[in-house]
Amino acid sequence: MPIIEFKDVEKYYGKFHALKRINLKVEKGEVVVVIGPSGSGKSTLIRTINGLEDISSGQLLVNNRDLSDKDTDLNKIRKDVGMVFQHFNLYDNKTVLENIMLAPRLVLKRPEQENKEIALRLLDSVGVADKTESYPKQLSGGQKQRVAIARSLAMKPKVLLFDEPTSALDPEMIDDVLNVMKKIAKEGMTMVVVTHEMGFAQEVADRVVFMDNGEILENDRADEFFKAPKEVRAQQFLSKIIKH
Amino acid sequence: MISVFQQHGQELLVGFGNTLLCSVIALFFSLIIGSTFAIFEAVPSRFLHIIGRVYIEVFRNIPLLVIGMFFYAVVPQYIVSIDGFTAGTIGLTLYTSAFIAETVRAGIQAVDEGQMEGARANGLTFMQAMRHIILPQAFRYVIPPLGNQFINMVKNSSVLAFVAGFDLMYQGDMIASTTFDTFNTYIAVGILYLVITLPLSYYMRYLEKKMD
């Protein structure tokens, strides 16, 4: 039973056809990397999984809940599905520690003592234990993103979504974030990652999904994909991106 | 001018007290009502948008004096008996709340969209995100314009003079019409308004600095 399943999902923004006939399954514990040129629908795809974008038709099942059903409580889905954004989206008016503790306190009603212990442990594991009382604007991009990852993990999600998590970072900070993501992947987290980091994809991904023009053109085991992508457009994309 | 304070100190004190009381009540309720309608305009609901829009446009675009007179002359006649002070204070609250709603709405819009998105993705409900993340940041942005609204509100409370609200302006008019010493009377009244508005103005500035 897949934890995420798209069945003939379509998405329109007005007349613009953003997602075309998407069929995709993600099994528990899988790491799926979504790649493709900008404007190909990767971000839209990943944002439908926690309901930040609604779908126009088709069926989308996440953790046995149907997102195409208007009565589905999105807050319940979001309890189980964390998301890490390109621009971090940390709470600017809260300290690092409060960023992590707020949602577990409000949504999960986690006892304060336990909440703090978990938060501190997570901050330690992502390497920003010394920044608990800082505000987001006092952190570097890499630190912000690691705090954002810790914030998602504090909810003990079943799935973590990453929407270009390293695209807004200075080059020297990218590895810190990728290393944290690799660690999480090895611990068995189900992850869907939109990224241009091919090294990460090669090392960590179980499967690679290649999108272009709102369509999934290729959905392969990672090793096979990197050995020889079947689609011409995927080959072209890969050769361009790996040259750099 | 000192003689005005000496001879009519009692009346001026009553007026000052009423102006202060009216201002405090109107400030409190207009902030709550205004913020509520500002939130209405941020909620993804067409129905609430329309309600918010209608409320703001009605009370923002009718002169305060007309609103005050409505509560002073019309409401007691047809609905419920209220005195001039109450009528004027209600009118002032509703009028001011429309401006505060516009101000707070601008503040909410100034908060980066990613804040709401991050909060919703993190599992917070819309109202939780508003309360803990969006509004605290929005209020920080709007402290200076909010300060202007509060100062305007204190000055606008002089509308109570027209509805027998026994405020500072009303008492000033009374004193001036009996003593004919208009010059000194209105200077005394002006000074007493400054006693409220200047500390308010400096307090808002202090808040602004403290938030940075």
Side-chain angles (χ1 to χ4, degrees), chain B residues 143 147 151 194 196-210:
Chain B
I143 283 174
I151 287 164
L194 284 176
I196 303 177
T197 49
L198 278 183
L200 181 61
S201 164
Y202 277 94
Y203 180 68
M204 294 307 281
R205 234 177 255 181
Y206 162 78
L207 269 188
E208 197 185 329
K209 278 215 185 95
K210 204 178 117 191

Side-chain angles (χ1 to χ4, degrees), chain A residues 96-152:
Chain A
V96 164
L97 190 62
E98 267 302 304
N99 262 276
I100 315 254
M101 289 172 66
L102 185 69
R105 181 190 303 134
L106 294 177
V107 181
L108 306 178
K109 317 280 179 221
R110 185 178 288 161
E112 201 60 12
Q113 186 61 31
E114 185 192 349
N115 195 11
K116 192 168 182 183
E117 280 166 20
I118 292 174
L120 290 172
R121 185 154 20 93
L122 283 168
L123 284 172
D124 189 45
S125 77
V126 299
V128 280
D130 54 334
K131 299 284 180 194
T132 52
E133 294 309 315
S134 302
Y135 283 86
K137 68 176 176 191
Q138 298 167 309
L139 304 180
S140 72
Q143 289 169 332
K144 279 185 202 172
Q145 196 58 298
R146 284 179 281 147
V147 172
I149 292 171
R151 179 175 74 175
S152 295

Side-chain angles (χ1 to χ4, degrees), chain A residues 3-124:
Chain A
I3 193 159
I4 302 169
E5 185 168 11
F6 288 79
K7 290 181 189 168
D8 295 328
V9 167
E10 309 272 353
K11 164 83 183 169
Y12 289 88
Y13 291 109
K15 282 191 175 156
F16 179 68
H17 202 171
L19 295 178
K20 297 172 185 161
R21 230 184 155 72
I22 299 292
N23 284 286
L24 178 67
K25 287 180 191 172
V26 178
E27 302 291 337
K28 214 166 180 298
E30 247 189 331
V31 176
V32 175
V33 165
V34 183
I35 63 172
S38 53
S40 60
K42 312 178 297 275
S43 279
T44 306
L45 177 88
I46 200 173
R47 286 163 60 88
T48 60
I49 298 172
N50 65 351
L52 285 182
E53 302 285 348
D54 58 1
I55 61 175
S56 306
S57 66
Q59 209 183 18
L60 173 51
L61 298 168
V62 177
N63 198 24
N64 290 325
R65 293 180 208 272
D66 187 354
L67 274 131
S68 44
D69 182 351
K70 294 268 176 269
D71 293 331
T72 298
D73 185 352
L74 288 175
N75 289 321
K76 288 203 171 121
I77 290 178
R78 288 168 181 157
K79 257 198 237 181
D80 295 323
V81 181
M83 188 167 208
V84 175
F85 297 86
Q86 181 177 357
H87 296 289
F88 330 119
N89 296 359
L90 290 178
Y91 308 137
D92 290 338
N93 60 325
K94 304 274 180 197
T95 63
V96 164
L97 190 62
E98 267 302 304
N99 262 276
I100 315 254
M101 289 172 66
L102 185 69
R105 181 190 303 134
L106 294 177
V107 181
L108 306 178
K109 317 280 179 221
R110 185 178 288 161
E112 201 60 12
Q113 186 61 31
E114 185 192 349
N115 195 11
K116 192 168 182 183
E117 280 166 20
I118 292 174
L120 290 172
R121 185 154 20 93
L122 283 168
L123 284 172
D124 189 45

